[in-house]
Every structure is written in structure tokens, then in C-alpha cells.
């Protein structure tokens, strides 16, 4: 098929600098990102995506693909290039009897949860409802259901994809299996996904959150010792926790908050919470019963997309005492968190999908958020320094928390054999690396 000639530009919904809606379309979650595309193509169908790719080719423009806009470095918005804006493709269709959801490539997690929960169904999604299904699922997709139901990518049954050459194809276990393998964890490298077909699970609508605060205090103080001992016990308890529980830890503002999120019967969650008595006496204890939908929105940003951001992440296969002590020693101005993996995530054979490091026990993210540009340097340095404290204990990183880490970051996310296999798929589906504004797998690995 000759894909060099797309439909006339006038048939596409195109925005250029100065047009109404242009600035809204290029605004992303991190206010530090101020990329100005030459052209924004607001895509409503897979054919629009085909036409947008053809237009980029004709005009020699760099291509970016935007879904939820949560890439911390703004990968979805090409500076001076052509932005394939998938946000008009945000629809979700559910078949409750077959337990399937068909989700358009520009949908946000909130739309997916809102469509499935009326039936008591859900699939694994992330913790913030304004994150894109697209970027999150293509990189893996960790959420409160993952220990029970697998990662978001483990629940994708099929993908509709527009390849870099402009062909609309389907990938599933029995159709283009190598592309299907790469799409489950390899990011947006292999095509523009215009529809995801998800498997749904009967998870009910209730959840419970349990949080215990331990003031950290200065090094050597009684508080510091109590917080450390609580953190060690929290880690040990997490190893045998039921799959409904995802253990969480947060360190911020001189306080360590330890606990778990439970999806399922809140009474069973409360019963499990008794185990946390072993942590010691917290300064505050919050046990909150909430709906799954409220859980899925409670970390949403109230300040919209107006905050400047930076983050770094690690994976941990083990979390020795010294690593937890390093976590407690973080700069109080940054916020660091741990979220437990294991359960169904670890049960999927490693070579089943591109997603890597399934034996991870904890994912760590340290994040800074601020509004005054004069603070950029100081707070980015604080986040980097905090992450550096934990680096000696890290086993790798989740591709979706990579920021400005470049090729070295991608090598931390995938072992060499997977990278080589991903590069082979890239050579087949995008040999010219048209789709490179992502955590890039170049066709020819250096
Ligand atoms: P975008 O910036 O739109 O896209 C990110 C990348 O994916 C870009 O390279 C883009 O080109 C590509 N892409 C997006 N959609 C498509 C598509 N349909 N086809 C092809 N390529 C596409 N991750 C988790 O796993 N669990 C969490 O709970 C979680 N919470 C988060 C909370 C916040 C506040 C933020 C900022 C991020 C969170 N993340 C989480 C990380 C998140 O998964 C990544 O930032 C992800 O890349 C965001 O995807 P997006 O579609 O929102 O972003």
C-alpha cells in the first residue's frame, strides 16, 4: 500500500501555533515542559493517525504521540514537530459478559475505571486517573490490582496499531506474536496504538487504605530508631501479604508513612491491618474505607498541570536494612515512595513479554514538585541526591519512571537479551526510528 500520500491536510483536524486550543493541546503534566509543535493533528480514528504520519513524512517533521501527557520529559509533544494528539480518541466500550474492554489509544485511566466499575469489574490501571492508558500500558502498567491480576500489559488481549509506515495492523497472541510480545512493556516504539483490548476482572467496588505515620527525627534519635525498625518490619510483613494488599511506604517532610492499599472486602483488609501492630506505635494511624473509584482518584493532582516536576526511580529485588535507612535519610523536601510488586506480576514467565524484572520486590520513585523556576536546580539536585543514596542497592528501573536518563536508563530497564529482541522488532516495524520520542529502542543497538 502506498502510504506516502495521505488525505488532504484540510480533512484533518489540525492546530498550528496561534490557533484556539493549540496551547491546551500541548500542555502536559510537568509544567517544565514547554514544547511547541509546528502542527498538532487531533486524531479521531486510526485513519487520522495514518494521515498524520503521512503528513509528517511529507513535511519532514519529527513525530510525537500524545496520550495522557504524563511523560515527565514531555515525550508526547515534539518541539517543532508534528504531534499526533490521541486525546480525542478517549472512548471505552465494555462487554461485561465477556469481561472485555476496548479502549481507544488516547483514553485516560479514569475513563477506563469509570466504564468498568458499574459492573464491579476492573483491570489493572495506575494510581492517578489523569494518566494515559496509552503510555502506562505500553510500558507495563503498575497499579493496585497488579499483584492480583497482573500488570496492565499482562491484561491486554489485542492491540490495534498504526505502524510507522502507516499500515493498520492487529497484534495478539495468535497474530504478529513478536509485535504483541514487544508491545507488552516495550513502550511506544513499535507503532501508534489506536485501541487496546483488555481482559477485565471481578474485583468489586470497595477498597481500604491503611497508613501509619512514624516521625523520622534526627539521625541517632529515638524517633529515627523507631522509624527504622518500623520500616524493617513493614518490609518483612510485605513478603507474605495477601494479593489484595499492596504495601506502600512514603517518606516526606520528616515522616515515614507505612501501610498498604487493599482492593476487596474492607473487613478482610482491616483484619490484615492488625499485622501492622508489629511496627510499633505510630504518631498517627489512618484507616480509610473507600470505593475503588475514589481510590483511583485520590492521588490526582489538584493543581492541574501547573507544577514543575522531576523524578527518578529504581527497582529493588531486595531491600536491605541499609537501603531503608538511606530512604529515611532523604531530603525532606522531596517525596519518596515504595510500592510492592510480587504476586501475579512475578508469576508471568520472564520471556512472555518485553516487560522485564518481574522478580522486583519494590518499586521506588523520588519526586519533587515546585512552582518557582528559580527552584529548578536546587530541587532537581535534591531528587537526584536522594535517588543516589539508594542506587547501590537497586536492581534496575521501571521504564515508565525513566526521565532524562537516556540510553543508559533504557539499559537499566531491560536486560541485554530483551533489548536485542526489542531492537529486532523495531527493525521490522520502524526501521527508520520514526517513533523515537519515547524511552527509545533504536533499530541498531549501539
Ligand atoms: P504521554 O506523555 O502522552 O506518553 C508517554 C509515552 O508513551 C510517549 O513516548 C508517547 O509517545 C507514548 N504513547 C502514549 N500513548 C501511546 C499510544 N497510544 N501509542 C503509542 N505510543 C503512545 N505508571 C504506572 O505504571 N503506575 C502508576 O500508578 C503511575 N502513576 C503515575 C502518576 C503520575 C502523576 C505520573 C506523571 C505518571 C505515573 N506513572 C505510573 C508513569 C506513567 O505510566 C508514564 O508516565 C506513562 O508514560 C504516561 O503515559 P501517558 O500516556 O500519560 O503520557
Amino acid at each position: 500500500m502506498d502510504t506516502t500520500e495521505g488525505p488532504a491536510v484540510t480533512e484533518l483536524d489540525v492546530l498550528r501555533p496561534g490557533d484556539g486550543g493549540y496551547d491546551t493541546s500541548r500542555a502536559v503534566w510537568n509544567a517544565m515542559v514547554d514544547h511547541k509543535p509546528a502542527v498538532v493533528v487531533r486524531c479521531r480514528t486510526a485513519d487520522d493517525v495514518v494521515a498524520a504520519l503521512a503528513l509528517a513524512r511529507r513535511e519532514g517533521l519529527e513525530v510525537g504521540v500524545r496520550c495522557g501527557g504524563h511523560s515527565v520529559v514531555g515525550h508526547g509533544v515534539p518541539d517543532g514537530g508534528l504531534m499526533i494528539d490521541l486525546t480525542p480518541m478517549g472512548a471505552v466500550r465494555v462487554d461485561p459478559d465477556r469481561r472485555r474492554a476496548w479502549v481507544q489509544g488516547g483514553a485516560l485511566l479514569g475513563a477506563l475505571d469509570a466504564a468498568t466499575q458499574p459492573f464491579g469489574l476492573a483491570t489493572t490501571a495506575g494510581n492517578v486517573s489523569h494518566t494515559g492508558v496509552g503510555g502506562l500500558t505500553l510500558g507495563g502498567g503498575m497499579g493496585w490490582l497488579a499483584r492480583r491480576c497482573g500488570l496492565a500489559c499482562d491484561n491486554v488481549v489485542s492491540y490495534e496499531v498504526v505502524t510507522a509506515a502507516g499500515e493498520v495492523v492487529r497484534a495478539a497472541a495468535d497474530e504478529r506474536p513478536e509485535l504483541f510480545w514487544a508491545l507488552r512493556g516495550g513502550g511506544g516504539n513499535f507503532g501508534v496504538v489506536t485501541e487496546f483490548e483488555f481482559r477485565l476482572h471481578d474485583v468489586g467496588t470497595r477498597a481500604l487504605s491503611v497508613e501509619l505515620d512514624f516521625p523520622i527525627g534526627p539521625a541517632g534519635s529515638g524517633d529515627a530508631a523507631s522509624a527504622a525498625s518500623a520500616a524493617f518490619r513493614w518490609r518483612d510483613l510485605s513478603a507474605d501479604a495477601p494479593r489484595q494488599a499492596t504495601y506502600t511506604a512514603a517518606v516526606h517532610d520528616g515522616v515515614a508513612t507505612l501501610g498498604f492499599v487493599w482492593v476487596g472486602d474492607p473487613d478482610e483488609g482491616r483484619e490484615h491491618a492488625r499485622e501492622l501492630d508489629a511496627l510499633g506505635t505510630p504518631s498517627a494511624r489512618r484507616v480509610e474505607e473507600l470505593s475503588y473509584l475514589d481510590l483511583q482518584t485520590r492521588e490526582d493532582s489538584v493543581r492541574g498541570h501547573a507544577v514543575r516536576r522531576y523524578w527518578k526511580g529504581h527497582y529493588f529485588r531486595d531491600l536491605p536494612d541499609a537501603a531503608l535507612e538511606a530512604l529515611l535519610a532523604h531530603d525532606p523536601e522531596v517525596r519518596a515512595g515504595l510500592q510492592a510488586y510480587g504476586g501475579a506480576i512475578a508469576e508471568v514467565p520472564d520471556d512472555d513479554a518485553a516487560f522485564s524484572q518481574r522478580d522486583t520486590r519494590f518499586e521506588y520513585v523520588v519526586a519533587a514538585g515546585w512552582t518557582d523556576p528559580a527552584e529548578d536546580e536546587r530541587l532537581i539536585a535534591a531528587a537526584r541526591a536522594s535517588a543516589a543514596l539508594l542506587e547501590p542497592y537497586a536492581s534496575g528501573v521501571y521504564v515508565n519512571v525513566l526521565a532524562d536518563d537516556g540510553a543508559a536508563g533504557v539499559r537499566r530497564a531491560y536486560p541485554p537479551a530483551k533489548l536485542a529482541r526489542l531492537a529486532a522488532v523495531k527493525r521490522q516495524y520502524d526501521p527508520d526510528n520514526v517513533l523515537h520520542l519515547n524511552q527509545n529502542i533504536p533499530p541498531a543497538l549501539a
Side-chain angles (χ1 to χ4, degrees), residues 29 65-71 75 86 105 126-128 131-132 134-136 138 141-142 188 191-193 311 398 400 437-438:
W29 173 77
V65 181
R66 186 229 164 98
C67 177
H70 272 213
S71 153
H75 270 146
L86 295 177
N127 308 349
V128 171
T131 311
L136 177 125
L138 286 165
M142 174 61 190
V192 182
V193 175
W311 72 18
Y398 175 29
N400 272 353
L437 288 176
N438 41 44

Side-chain angles (χ1 to χ4, degrees), residues 178 181-187 189-190 353-356 410 414-428 441-443 445:
E178 203 55 13
W181 175 87
L183 287 168
R184 285 174 300 141
N189 279 283
F190 309 98
F355 184 84
S356 299
V410 174
Y414 305 100
K418 284 215 176 174
L419 260 188
R421 188 169 166 187
L422 284 165
V425 183
K426 182 77 172 173
R427 281 195 291 279
Q428 187 179 351
I441 315 271
L445 276 180

Side-chain angles (χ1 to χ4, degrees), residues 310-320 322-330 336 338 357 362-366 380-398 402 404-405 407-413:
Y310 187 79
W311 72 18
K312 282 195 99 59
H314 297 303
Y315 269 160
F316 295 98
R317 206 172 290 127
D318 300 301
L319 206 48
L324 285 167
E325 280 161 356
L327 177 73
L328 298 176
H330 271 32
L338 291 170
Q357 308 180 61
F362 294 98
E363 181 195 334
Y364 157 93
V365 179
V366 59
I380 290 173
R384 285 188 178 143
S386 291
L389 290 174
L390 284 174
E391 186 137 14
Y393 313 100
S395 44
V397 69
Y398 175 29
L402 289 175
D404 55 352
D405 309 66
V410 174
R411 282 196 300 275
R412 285 188 77 209

